[in-house]
């Protein structure tokens, strides 16, 4: 008999059969998200999650058998945040797609470590409902199946890419001042070589630290506004497929 049969996802198994289990999968996922938000995804372990719950590590294994399953629960908890509440999805394809994109982007920027977490084929109940809502947004467009997948892939690529840039902007804002000064000094030296005329033209000979020198937004409001401008441009392009 083969022993390497595919392992079913955690959602295909019932929760522990005790009449009143001490923990739920939702509570375990919430504890893991709190750790990741505070200390990064690297700090998430069965031991640390168990400690946050006030349980022994072996107790946690009664609910979650592997770290991959823990990550799967975390992923689906994130998707629960991205799901549009029932009855609130707009009727038109454009605004419905925009609402889903905004909610997904908000989740990824609220939990920037999630971009690295969402790399596997996790497909929990909330992820499936998020996908269902994305398809529902396009249901009246008359697009072919292939075209609908193209739309979803295009919007997702923009949302995830923008969230990654937002995380970079946050990281840049938290960089030590001495490191920022060293980077700026190096950049100015490189511009002086004449090898980067277009980059130099952006500054017009100015110091990038001057308050009135235009640059990419780093404050939350500016980053969100830039995301919205880009989202509308993406939707303008998609509208040409209709």
């Amino acid at each position: 008999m083969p022993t390497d049969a595919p392992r079913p996802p955690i959602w295909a198994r019932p929760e522990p059969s005790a009449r009143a289990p001490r923990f739920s999968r939702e509570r375990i996922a919430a504890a893991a998200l709190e750790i990741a938000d505070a200390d990064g995804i690297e700090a998430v372990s069965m031991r640390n999650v168990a400690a946050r719950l006030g349980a022994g590590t072996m107790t946690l294994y009664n609910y979650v058998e592997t770290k991959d399953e823990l990550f799967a629960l975390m992923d689906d908890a994130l998707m629960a945040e991205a799901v549009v509440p029932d009855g609130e999805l707009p009727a038109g394809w454009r605004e419905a797609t925009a609402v889903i994109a905004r909610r997904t982007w908000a989740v990824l920027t609220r939990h920037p470590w999630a971009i690295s977490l969402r790399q596997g084929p996790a497909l929990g109940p909330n992820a499936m409902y998020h996908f269902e809502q994305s398809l529902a947004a396009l249901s009246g467009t008359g697009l072919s199946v292939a075209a609908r997948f193209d739309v979803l892939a295009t919007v997702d690529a923009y949302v995830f890419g923008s969230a990654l840039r937002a995380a970079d902007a946050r990281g840049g804002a938290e960089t030590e001042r001495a490191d920022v000064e060293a980077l700026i000094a190096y950049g100015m030296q490189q511009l002086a070589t004449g090898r980067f005329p277009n980059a130099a033209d952006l500054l017009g000979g100015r110091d990038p630290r001057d308050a009135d020198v235009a640059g990419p937004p780093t404050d939350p409001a500016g980053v969100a506004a830039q995301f919205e401008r880009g989202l509308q441009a993406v939707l303008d392009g998609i509208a040409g497929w209709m």
Side-chain angles (χ1 to χ4, degrees), residues 17 20 48 53-54 67 78 83 103 133 136-137 167 174 183 189-190 215 224 229-230 232 237 241:
S17 57
N48 288 343
L53 292 169
K67 190 173 181 180
L78 294 171
V83 165
R103 287 186 70 93
Q133 288 189 328
E174 296 171 354
L183 286 172
Q189 289 172 359
Q190 293 300 304
R229 291 193 298 272
Q232 293 305 319
W241 302 353

Side-chain angles (χ1 to χ4, degrees), residues 61-129:
Y61 280 104
N62 292 324
Y63 300 85
V64 183
E65 296 182 3
T66 67
K67 190 173 181 180
D68 285 343
E69 288 189 350
L70 178 60
F71 283 166
L73 292 182
M74 294 174 68
D75 181 87
D76 209 53
L78 294 171
M79 287 296 95
E81 295 182 28
V83 165
V84 180
D86 288 340
E88 294 185 15
L89 190 66
W93 77 266
R94 181 172 181 133
E95 189 52 34
T97 300
V99 166
I100 294 170
R102 291 183 194 116
R103 287 186 70 93
T104 305
W105 184 81
V107 170
L108 294 174
T109 53
R110 190 160 55 244
H111 310 286
W113 49 265
I115 298 173
S116 61
L117 178 68
R118 300 219 74 224
Q119 293 179 348
L123 191 64
N126 290 310
M128 289 187 67
Y129 196 44

Side-chain angles (χ1 to χ4, degrees), residues 1-44:
M1 294 290 292
T3 59
D4 57 349
R7 184 180 185 83
I10 186 171
W11 301 284
R13 303 198 308 269
E15 297 219 40
S17 57
R19 179 172 298 177
R22 185 177 175 189
F23 304 115
S24 66
R25 288 170 180 166
E26 289 78 11
R27 187 177 174 192
I28 292 169
L33 261 63
E34 290 171 1
I35 292 171
D37 285 343
D39 302 314
I41 191 64
E42 299 82 5
V44 176

Side-chain angles (χ1 to χ4, degrees), residues 177-204:
R177 185 66 191 175
D179 293 335
V180 172
E181 293 291 337
L183 286 172
I184 291 175
Y186 172 77
M188 296 300 285
Q189 289 172 359
Q190 293 300 304
L191 292 180
T193 66
R195 294 180 58 212
F196 309 99
N198 291 291
D201 185 59
L202 286 177
L203 294 174

Side-chain angles (χ1 to χ4, degrees), residues 83 101 168 172 226:
V83 165
D168 288 344
Q226 185 182 61

